[in-house]
């Protein structure tokens, strides 16, 4: 019995020690002077570098928003491109502070990997892209197709479920890296390219002749994509979670990058609390009173980020859909700041 008690005590100490190693991410981030953000190798509209290695995208904006809340400076971010297979190890090991990389929130990831999802930055679903010349109109017409898939993703599992459920045969052609998947599809090594529908639209926008490809109408899965942090650091989790909520709350209240200074004089109590004019909601999460003001001043609100990166007026051309605010027919919703 004594040995069991000692063993249990040692295990508990080791667990606490392991957690404590990452229990003050905010202090570590402040000490080094930047947020280390794990991103994709390059998905247009979500996280992609330009020719000068300047990163942009909806998920990049989230990292820039966190940097704004901490440093009042959206440039205090460094980016680590990661494959699907590398991403969780990079987060768990402390190589990155935030994983903001088209990552689907699932039960097994949420409960078995020592990570915590912040929220759903983008409600997505898996689709299929084919060549228009092939005359395919439905995913139910894909029996016998060669399908390009990235390994280590929910995409791989969802495809297996879909074809099994519909009694269809298919041949998966699996690659480690998303760029390899896209190139194989462009080169004709497979008939179909499958991934999140937003990523399909993003990749199609970069093709030499986008109109030669179509995205089939079927959506075969739920893909709630969101930022992720390590478990065991509630302060860092709260900073990230409320950064996400502040972006949504600002849109709902009509606070934009252009009018945020004017809104400092608003009589609306909700706007006063959001911008730090009334109450102090920054100190409890290790930030200044104007943390949300800094986010909006530097990044804008969620709607502005969406429209700038993936919206109808971009080459990707996505409608808000489920990603509209709850009052506009979507399901994006932030708890009140009060």
């Amino acid at each position: 019995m004594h040995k069991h008690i000692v063993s249990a005590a040692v295990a508990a100490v080791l667990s606490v020690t392991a957690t404590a190693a990452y229990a003050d991410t905010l202090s570590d981030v402040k000490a080094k002077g930047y947020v280390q953000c794990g991103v994709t190798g390059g998905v247009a509209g979500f996280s992609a570098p330009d020719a000068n290695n300047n990163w942009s995208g909806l998920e990049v904006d989230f990292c820039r928003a966190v940097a704004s809340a901490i440093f009042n400076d959206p440039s205090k971010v460094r980016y680590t491109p990661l494959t699907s297979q590398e991403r969780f190890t990079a987060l768990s090991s402390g190589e990155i502070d935030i994983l903001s990389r088209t990552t689907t929130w699932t039960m097994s990831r949420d409960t078995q990997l020592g990570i915590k999802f912040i929220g759903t930055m983008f409600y997505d679903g898996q689709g299929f892209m084919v060549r228009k010349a092939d005359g395919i109109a439905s995913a139910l017409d894909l029996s016998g197709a060669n399908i390009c898939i990235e390994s280590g993703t929910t995409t791989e599992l969802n495809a297996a479920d879909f074809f099994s459920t519909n009694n269809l045969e298919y041949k998966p052609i699996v690659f480690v890296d998303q760029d390899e998947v896209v190139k194989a599809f462009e080169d004709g090594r497979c008939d179909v390219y499958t991934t999140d529908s937003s990523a399909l639209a993003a990749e199609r926008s970069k093709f030499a002749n986008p109109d030669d490809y179509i995205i089939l109408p079927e959506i075969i899965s739920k893909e709630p994509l969101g930022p992720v942090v390590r478990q065991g650091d509630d302060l860092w989790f709260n900073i990230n979670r409320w950064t996400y909520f502040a972006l949504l709350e600002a849109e709902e209240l009509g606070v934009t990058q252009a009018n945020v200074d004017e809104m400092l004089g608003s009589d609306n109590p909700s706007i006063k609390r959001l911008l730090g004019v009334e109450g102090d909601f920054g100190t409890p999460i290790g930030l200044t009173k104007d943390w949300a003001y800094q986010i909006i001043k530097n990044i804008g609100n969620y709607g502005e980020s969406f429209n700038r990166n993936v919206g109808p007026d971009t080459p990707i051309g996505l409608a808000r859909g489920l990603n509209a605010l709850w009052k506009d027919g979507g399901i994006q919703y932030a708890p009140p700041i009060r």
Side-chain angles (χ1 to χ4, degrees):
M1 178 64 72
H2 176 70
K3 289 181 180 179
H4 289 305
I5 293 173
V6 171
S7 297
V10 170
V13 169
L14 289 174
S15 176
V16 170
T17 301
T19 300
Y22 302 115
D24 196 1
T25 307
L26 177 60
S27 293
D28 293 342
V29 165
K30 285 182 174 179
K32 65 188 178 185
Y34 58 87
V35 177
Q36 193 75 44
C37 184
V39 291
T40 70
V43 174
F46 288 85
S47 55
D50 63 15
N52 297 315
N53 204 38
N54 295 312
W55 287 80
S56 64
L58 185 68
E59 294 176 321
V60 167
D61 273 357
F62 178 77
C63 295
R64 296 173 67 241
V66 173
S68 296
I70 297 168
F71 297 110
N72 301 343
D73 185 347
S75 70
K76 299 287 189 179
V77 185
R78 296 185 184 179
Y79 302 97
T80 302
L82 298 165
T83 68
S84 294
Q85 293 178 323
E86 296 169 335
R87 54 185 164 176
F88 298 121
T89 300
L91 181 61
S92 299
S93 69
E95 179 184 347
I96 58 175
D97 304 309
I98 306 167
L99 178 63
S100 189
R101 189 212 172 279
T102 55
T103 300
T104 301
W105 191 347
T106 69
M107 182 176 180
S108 60
R109 290 173 175 176
D110 205 32
T111 59
Q112 298 175 23
L113 299 182
I115 62 176
K116 295 185 74 170
F117 282 81
I118 299 304
T120 301
M121 282 287 291
F122 191 91
Y123 289 94
D124 208 346
Q126 184 173 331
F128 299 94
M129 181 158 60
V130 297
R131 296 170 187 81
K132 185 182 293 186
D134 290 341
I136 299 170
S138 167
L140 296 175
D141 299 330
L142 295 178
S143 185
N146 295 330
I147 301 185
C148 282
I149 303 175
E150 184 179 5
S151 65
T153 62
T154 54
T155 302
E156 196 174 8
L157 304 176
N158 294 332
D161 286 349
F162 173 79
F163 283 93
S164 173
T165 299
N166 290 283
N167 296 313
L168 302 173
E169 298 291 330
Y170 79 109
K171 181 181 178 181
I173 302 177
V174 181
F175 299 89
V176 172
D177 184 78
Q178 183 70 10
D179 289 341
E180 294 176 345
V181 177
V182 176
K183 187 177 188 309
F185 178 61
E186 285 190 282
D187 291 346
R189 294 176 60 187
C190 47
D191 309 306
V192 184
Y193 168 28
T194 184
T195 188
D196 299 338
S197 58
S198 62
L200 293 177
E203 295 296 348
R204 185 177 64 174
S205 73
K206 297 189 293 185
F207 290 166
N209 298 295
D211 292 341
D212 290 347
Y213 303 87
I214 61 171
I215 298 173
L216 300 178
E218 290 86 356
I219 298 296
I220 67 168
S221 69
K222 294 184 292 185
E223 304 294 328
L225 309 178
V228 191
V229 296
R230 289 179 291 274
Q231 287 183 5
D233 190 340
D234 288 345
L235 182 65
W236 187 242
F237 173 78
N238 284 332
I239 289 170
N240 282 267
R241 179 169 62 175
W242 283 96
T243 292
Y244 162 60
F245 287 152
L247 291 166
L248 292 175
E249 185 78 345
E251 182 181 7
E252 183 170 341
L253 295 172
V255 183
T256 68
Q257 191 171 28
N259 71 16
V260 66
D261 287 321
E262 178 186 347
M263 286 292 192
L264 289 170
S266 173
D267 293 329
N268 185 324
S270 294
I271 293 177
K272 287 183 175 182
R273 289 191 293 269
L274 173 68
L275 300 182
V277 175
E278 183 177 283
D280 181 2
F281 297 93
T283 299
I285 56 173
L287 304 175
T288 57
K289 288 176 61 174
D290 66 345
W291 62 280
Y293 166 85
Q294 296 295 339
I295 291 172
I296 302 159
K297 182 70 174 177
N298 289 309
I299 308 301
N301 62 41
Y302 177 85
E304 290 179 287
S305 179
F306 185 100
N307 290 331
R308 178 170 63 241
N309 291 299
V310 299
D313 295 329
T314 68
I316 300 169
L318 299 179
R320 285 292 291 269
L322 292 177
N323 294 293
L325 296 178
W326 65 279
K327 66 185 184 67
D328 298 325
I331 56 178
Q332 288 286 9
Y333 185 104
I337 295 175
R338 64 177 314 134

